[in-house]
Amino acid sequence: MTIKKNVIDQLIAQARAELPNESCGYLLGRDDTVTENFPMENVDHSPEHFSFDPRQQFQAMRYARQNGLRILANWHSHPASPSRPSQEDLRLANDPSIRYAILSLLDGQPRLNSFAIRQGAVVNKEEHL
Ligand SMILES: [Zn+2]
């Protein structure tokens, strides 16, 4: 999966604006290329976990469909931990059709990896930043 540079910049800006809490969203695009961030509210408002609003999830799906885009990944930030899934992230990653991207802001050094997760285990990792 490729993520356009301007999208990565948007993720970093959103994640920094929502510090100290985790931020989150969907990555939309065509084929294997992410062209848009769909920002989502972290309804947990927590520095250590996140949840999507189901109504907003529906809006994201509708937006993607109306614009000929697919949801390629969901993403969230780790304000103070590395760019890899936590145990809870692995447990909650139950959609095999998408990737899971994690933007770390640890030590002020943004890192972005995405993961394919099957049955609670990482089966593939890609580095984007
Ligand atoms: Zn996480």
Side-chain angles (χ1 to χ4, degrees):
M1 184 174 76
T2 303
I3 306 176
K4 297 260 188 210
K5 172 75 166 63
N6 69 307
V7 175
I8 294 177
D9 291 343
Q10 287 172 24
L11 305 189
I12 295 169
Q14 180 186 333
R16 285 184 171 150
E18 294 175 8
L19 284 172
N21 294 334
E22 291 194 3
S23 61
C24 55
Y26 282 118
L27 300 178
L28 311 180
R30 294 186 175 88
D31 302 321
D32 214 23
T33 301
V34 172
T35 55
E36 286 186 42
N37 173 38
F38 192 100
M40 300 279 288
E41 181 183 355
N42 175 4
V43 295
D44 291 343
H45 302 289
S46 160
E48 282 162 7
H49 47 93
F50 77 100
S51 296
F52 287 162
D53 171 355
R55 281 197 356 239
Q56 208 181 6
Q57 281 182 285
F58 180 75
Q59 289 167 4
M61 285 182 250
R62 190 174 53 196
Y63 175 86
R65 195 167 57 237
Q66 286 172 346
N67 289 277
L69 301 168
R70 276 187 37 209
I71 294 175
L72 297 176
N74 86 28
W75 75 274
H76 69 284
S77 68
H78 280 177
S81 61
S83 174
R84 60 173 180 255
S86 66
Q87 289 304 313
E88 185 184 29
D89 292 336
L90 291 171
R91 191 170 54 78
L92 297 174
N94 49 24
D95 184 347
S97 71
I98 63 170
R99 296 182 70 80
Y100 292 85
I102 298 176
L103 173 67
S104 169
L105 297 177
L106 179 63
D107 296 330
Q109 177 68 257
R111 298 264 182 234
L112 180 62
N113 298 318
S114 72
F115 304 87
I117 298 170
R118 301 283 185 277
Q119 294 167 336
V122 171
V123 294
N124 172 270
K125 171 187 169 182
E126 290 175 353
E127 297 186 6
H128 304 283
L129 180 70

